[in-house]
Amino acid sequence: MRKLSLLILGAAIGAGGATMVSQTSLLSGMSAIAASADTYRQLSLFGDVFEKVRTDYVEKPDESKLVESAINGMLTSLDPHSSYMDAKSFRDMQVQTRGEFGGLGIEVTMEDGLVKVVTPIDDTPASRAGILANDIITSINDEPVQGLNLNQAVDKMRGPVNSSVTLKIQRKEAKDPVVVKLTRETIKVRPVRARAEGDIGVLRVTQFNEQTYDGLRTGIEKLTSEIGADKVAGFVIDLRNNPGGLLDQAIMVSDAFLERGEIVSTRSRNAEDTQRFSAKSGDLTKGKPLVVLVNGGSASASEIVAGALQDHKRATILGTRSFGKGSVQTIIPLGGNGAVRLTTARYYTPSGRSIQAKGIDPDIEVLQDIPDELKGKDETKGEAGLRGHLQNGGDKEERGGSSAYIPPDPAKDKQLLAAYDLLHGVRKGAANTTMTPN
């Protein structure tokens, strides 16, 4: 049985299998042959159109681009998450899911057309070279950054390990630009950030890549040691604006807090391909209370974790309704020609819920105070707002997006503050037992 990596994505799902020959299957096979004949006629039509474009279009077209566009058009017509990735896009996706790459160790953003350093990552070439937050990168290897988009600038800073790159930096306090030559190293993305807030451990999970579970486990161990195992009041798992990632990592993160029971099931077109994933004994927090934060930007793998912990009453889900992406994509490599991202299954929470185009409703809804300039712009469309999304029980049962705003100042973050209050009000080892859900 062939195994393909799933993105939601991640664990493998079987493709193919044995079929028992019977009168029914023979008739089905004959229907399939008839359908195939009609399909081949349509493919012949495609060939005719392709040839006409190739020979008669006003300018000579790039034939490979024509084929790629046709493939992508076919896939994107299925649903918003199926697509074709060319070789470069496939490599970029692999870098993202591995969570490590050859680079400098700088988190950057685009501001007013300039690449601005958010922060250098500790113990990386950037931090050792003295690059600071708010530095403006004006050129990379003597090529001006102005005019590049953020992805293009990032691509230029990444590269083979042990290769060098020269950055020109404008620093607020300095009159003259600073020129820094750095040697690229293997940089690991930090998908989990851990910090203590008094007797509460806060674990901010930003994505589900290959490093997520290890980062979570390390974070829990660090916080337990820092606060003291007997003094920890509980943990906040912050999944807000986490777009998802690898399915196997979502399963492992859920399992980190569960002793037993189903975590998630995936169901494809063929019933025999249904898979169920269950927890193994061992709760990394030793039963400490949990609050999981979600909002309109929490999607996919984030919703698997929230749904599993909610169904098992292991955590209180707090915030606003999640995005509602309840499908699984399989990444199918095409040799050296990129890959196909194809929706192959829906997933269901332990209680059998499909959250497709519905999202997860929090146990306790807490709305942020939205700045006037962002009002009306803070809500995501949600899965239900995406054209061509998979249906789930009809439009009347579907739910749109919710606010995805998080205040930059933690002191004004009403959802985070509510999580602290909740944890300080629950008994040790309890989950959601002291507040009435909305």
Side-chain angles (χ1 to χ4, degrees):
M1 183 175 287
R2 189 160 54 102
K3 296 285 187 179
L4 301 171
S5 101
L6 288 182
L7 278 190
I8 352 184
L9 294 121
I13 187 169
T19 302
M20 182 176 291
V21 177
S22 65
Q23 185 65 27
T24 302
S25 64
L26 179 59
L27 291 172
S28 298
M30 292 170 66
S31 299
I33 292 170
S36 294
D38 185 60
T39 299
Y40 281 119
R41 280 195 292 273
Q42 294 295 320
L43 288 174
S44 177
L45 173 62
F46 169 77
D48 292 342
V49 173
F50 176 82
E51 185 62 21
K52 183 61 66 176
V53 172
R54 190 183 71 83
T55 58
D56 294 350
Y57 184 64
V58 62
E59 295 178 353
K60 182 175 174 59
D62 184 326
E63 295 176 14
S64 64
K65 289 293 183 185
L66 286 177
V67 173
E68 286 184 6
S69 297
I71 294 170
N72 201 42
M74 173 177 63
L75 291 165
T76 56
S77 72
L78 298 172
D79 66 78
H81 308 294
S82 295
S83 64
Y84 170 74
M85 293 180 285
D86 61 22
K88 183 182 183 305
S89 298
F90 184 36
R91 287 195 301 272
D92 290 344
M93 186 276 297
Q94 290 174 307
V95 167
Q96 182 179 350
T97 56
R98 277 200 308 271
E100 60 180 49
F101 53 87
L104 307 176
I106 317 174
E107 294 184 12
V108 293
T109 188
M110 184 70 79
E111 190 173 287
D112 298 326
L114 301 172
V115 176
K116 181 179 180 180
V117 176
V118 176
T119 183
I121 300 172
D122 292 343
D123 195 28
T124 62
S127 64
R128 291 194 292 270
I131 292 176
L132 304 174
N134 299 319
D135 281 350
I136 301 295
I137 300 173
T138 59
S139 75
I140 303 169
N141 286 334
D142 296 325
E143 181 179 338
V145 171
Q146 191 95 30
L148 300 179
N149 62 38
L150 186 60
N151 287 336
Q152 290 170 330
V154 168
D155 283 346
K156 290 184 179 298
M157 286 187 279
R158 290 180 180 176
V161 173
N162 295 325
S163 62
S164 62
V165 60
T166 301
L167 303 182
K168 184 179 288 186
I169 293 169
Q170 188 63 54
R171 190 164 290 163
K172 204 169 188 179
E173 300 81 8
K175 293 181 179 179
D176 299 321
V178 178
V179 178
V180 185
K181 186 173 183 179
L182 307 97
T183 300
R184 297 181 178 97
E185 296 178 4
T186 299
I187 306 299
K188 291 191 175 183
V189 175
R190 290 191 299 163
V192 181
R193 289 176 170 80
R195 72 178 191 279
E197 291 290 339
D199 57 357
I200 294 173
V202 180
L203 295 154
R204 173 82 175 111
V205 184
T206 58
Q207 59 180 288
F208 287 84
N209 64 29
E210 292 178 8
Q211 317 294 329
T212 301
Y213 173 75
D214 289 341
L216 182 82
R217 181 181 58 193
T218 300
I220 291 172
E221 292 171 352
K222 171 180 174 290
L223 292 171
T224 301
S225 174
E226 185 178 330
I227 299 170
D230 57 337
K231 296 180 181 178
V232 175
F235 291 88
V236 176
I237 316 300
D238 190 350
L239 299 177
R240 293 175 298 176
N241 293 343
N242 181 324
L246 297 171
L247 174 59
D248 62 345
Q249 292 290 316
I251 293 167
M252 293 167 72
V253 167
S254 302
D255 195 2
F257 306 108
L258 295 171
E259 290 286 355
R260 65 184 65 82
E262 184 173 299
I263 293 171
V264 68
S265 63
T266 60
R267 308 178 196 178
S268 61
R269 188 166 66 184
N270 301 314
E272 62 269 23
D273 289 331
T274 295
Q275 293 194 345
R276 299 183 182 276
F277 302 90
S278 298
K280 303 179 182 68
S281 62
D283 179 346
L284 296 184
T285 69
K286 310 299 183 188
K288 294 290 185 180
L290 301 177
V291 175
V292 175
L293 299 182
V294 298
N295 66 7
S298 305
S300 201
S302 298
E303 294 173 294
I304 286 179
V305 175
L309 298 182
Q310 184 179 54
D311 281 5
H312 285 291
K313 301 189 184 304
R314 176 63 186 92
T316 300
I317 311 301
L318 188 150
T320 58
R321 188 176 56 256
S322 65
F323 188 85
K325 181 179 177 292
S327 62
V328 180
Q329 282 68 48
T330 301
I331 303 301
I332 307 169
L334 301 174
N337 298 310
V340 167
R341 185 201 312 264
L342 187 66
T343 299
T344 53
R346 298 172 188 258
Y347 70 77
Y348 295 78
T349 70
S351 65
R353 288 185 294 162
S354 169
I355 60 88
Q356 170 64 18
K358 295 180 180 179
I360 290 176
D361 289 312
D363 299 312
I364 301 171
E365 183 179 52
V366 177
L367 302 176
Q368 303 280 16
D369 291 329
I370 310 298
D372 290 340
E373 65 273 16
L374 293 179
K375 286 181 179 176
K377 302 176 182 177
D378 61 301
E379 291 199 357
T380 64
K381 289 182 178 180
E383 181 76 9
L386 299 180
R387 181 180 297 178
H389 67 272
L390 295 176
Q391 299 294 309
N392 189 0
D395 292 342
K396 291 183 179 179
E397 295 186 23
E398 295 183 351
R399 308 284 299 280
S402 71
S403 177
Y405 175 71
I406 304 174
D409 182 357
K412 297 179 181 179
D413 189 339
K414 293 177 68 175
Q415 293 167 350
L416 189 59
L417 296 176
Y420 296 160
D421 290 343
L422 182 61
L423 288 172
H424 283 142
V426 298
R427 292 178 291 107
K428 183 176 180 181
N432 44 351
T433 58
T434 63
M435 294 185 68
T436 303
N438 289 334

